Amino acid sequence: MEHQIHYTGVMDVLCQFCGAFRFQGEQLNWCHNGKVSLSPLQEYPENLRLLFDANGAEGSNFRQNIRNYNSTLTFASFGANIRPPPGRGQYCFRLRQTYHYASSLHADDPEERRYGQL
């Protein structure tokens, strides 16, 4: 089956109610004309900001492995067979199969702790 590439254009349409950007062709107004309002996100801790902004090896390693770190600190881990789309454009991935790894609340062997057991 051959897939056609669809270009949605630049995300440059500003919502007059919430200030979110959307694509020109999008018909849905996510905030329902200002009826839905979310609290602003809290600033993340200074040590995380430093890792995100660092130009050295430590910052690069953190950004490359952030999904692994996040999964380690959860009670379950998301896994998927990911196949990147052809060509260029916005980052996305196609899922062929998804699965979750979960562990018990307490590890039988402290050396074998995973996910939320850490």
Side-chain angles (χ1 to χ4, degrees), residues 67-78:
R67 186 170 294 174
N68 294 331
Y69 299 145
N70 188 49
S71 294
T72 299
L73 299 172
T74 63
F75 287 101
S77 175
F78 170 80

Side-chain angles (χ1 to χ4, degrees), residues 1 6-7 9 12 18-19 31 39 42-45 48 51 61-62 70 80 88 93 96-97 109 113:
M1 175 182 219
H6 175 76
Y7 178 67
D12 62 353
C18 68
C31 70
S39 301
Q42 295 180 2
E43 290 291 324
Y44 46 93
L48 286 180
L51 285 170
N61 181 54
F62 176 75
N70 188 49
R88 299 171 24 166
F93 56 85
R96 295 284 183 192
Q97 175 185 2
D109 181 356
R113 293 181 295 180

